[in-house]
Amino acid sequence: MNKQIFLATNNKGKLAEYREILAPMGFVIYSPKDLNIDLDVEETGTTYRENSFLKANAFRKIVPFPVLSDDSGLEIDALNNFPGLFSSRFAESCGGYPQAYEELFRRLEGKDRSAHFRCCICYVESPDAKPLYFEGICPGRILNAPSGDHGFGYDPIFHCDEIDQDFGLVDEATKNKYSHRAKALQKLKLFFAI
Ligand code: IMP
């Protein structure tokens, strides 16, 4: 099996997590930056699957490796799963993550704070191959104030139920065992092992 894989993301946090999880299996992960590719795929899909496919498919046409893409988001129960698909765009529209945290705290005042991260990975082996999808969920809740600065995105306001710890305080290796991304990647690893 070809152990060189392209990850269709410009998100440094995601890239670091894929490398940490897949490197022990001998995979070498290339990013758009490694291949000097400047392509920003518009996420026009209405589901994580659609968006992950749009990204994987756009890059698979131009790179010589199998492609993985990752569409993910934070879903807050009391906000009807908002920001969800718009997680990244919501933070941008607020002017950055610290402002997005404050806005979410404001919207959650007096409400239940249950939430989960969701991740959908799309794998496209060759330009004419059928896309394969691997999904993972990480349940938890939104904290009352930011805690720690580890991870990326919404990690500093997320408490992970499974380990009863704040993602902003745990080390990379711990997050990479229990996160939504780790769970989706676990399924991908099983597929690769077959
Ligand atoms: P995407 O690039 O459209 O998939 O955006 C995903 C966005 O969801 C990220 O930019 C973060 O805002 C959020 N997100 C996804 N996964 C995580 C995570 O593991 N920790 C914190 N935030 C995440």
Side-chain angles (χ1 to χ4, degrees), residues 91-104:
E92 252 175 59
S93 74
C94 292
Y97 280 96
Q99 293 90 326
Y101 304 158
E102 292 309 318
E103 179 57 23
L104 290 178

Side-chain angles (χ1 to χ4, degrees), residues 108-126:
L108 279 174
E109 262 165 42
K111 297 198 172 122
D112 176 65
R113 302 180 89 88
S114 305
H116 50 270
F117 278 117
R118 183 184 294 277
C119 172
C120 175
I121 294 174
C122 177
Y123 176 64
V124 181
E125 192 159 74
S126 62

Side-chain angles (χ1 to χ4, degrees), residues 163-192:
I163 48 175
D164 198 16
Q165 290 190 61
D166 303 344
F167 264 176
L169 294 175
V170 300
D171 58 28
E172 218 176 47
T174 305
K175 181 183 171 196
N176 288 343
K177 269 197 214 128
Y178 299 98
S179 76
H180 47 313
R181 191 159 294 106
K183 294 195 168 102
L185 272 165
Q186 198 54 43
K187 295 177 187 168
L188 178 76
K189 276 161 75 172
L190 287 175
F191 167 76
F192 282 153

Side-chain angles (χ1 to χ4, degrees), residues 53-69:
F53 174 72
L54 286 173
K55 292 185 270 192
N57 190 44
F59 281 97
R60 189 63 192 92
K61 290 183 180 146
I62 57 172
V63 302
F65 306 115
V67 169
L68 282 177
S69 77

Side-chain angles (χ1 to χ4, degrees), residues 37-172:
I37 298 172
D38 185 12
L39 174 65
D40 203 12
V41 181
E42 219 191 319
E43 299 190 15
T44 52
T46 54
T47 61
Y48 294 91
R49 274 193 178 212
E50 280 173 21
N51 280 341
S52 66
F53 174 72
L54 286 173
K55 292 185 270 192
N57 190 44
F59 281 97
R60 189 63 192 92
K61 290 183 180 146
I62 57 172
V63 302
F65 306 115
V67 169
L68 282 177
S69 77
D70 171 313
D71 204 61
S72 44
L74 171 69
E75 300 188 331
I76 302 177
D77 297 19
L79 304 182
N80 294 320
N81 286 340
F82 185 83
L85 275 188
F86 305 99
S87 295
S88 173
R89 286 166 272 183
F90 173 65
E92 252 175 59
S93 74
C94 292
Y97 280 96
Q99 293 90 326
Y101 304 158
E102 292 309 318
E103 179 57 23
L104 290 178
F105 294 151
R106 200 188 58 73
R107 294 188 193 193
L108 279 174
E109 262 165 42
K111 297 198 172 122
D112 176 65
R113 302 180 89 88
S114 305
H116 50 270
F117 278 117
R118 183 184 294 277
C119 172
C120 175
I121 294 174
C122 177
Y123 176 64
V124 181
E125 192 159 74
S126 62
D128 51 0
K130 192 169 161 256
L132 300 174
Y133 299 94
F134 305 87
E135 298 182 5
I137 285 181
C138 177
R141 63 181 165 82
I142 303 299
L143 295 164
N144 293 322
S147 163
D149 58 0
H150 290 189
F152 70 98
Y154 296 95
D155 283 337
I157 61 165
F158 188 79
H159 181 89
C160 173
D161 279 351
E162 206 176 335
I163 48 175
D164 198 16
Q165 290 190 61
D166 303 344
F167 264 176
L169 294 175
V170 300
D171 58 28
E172 218 176 47

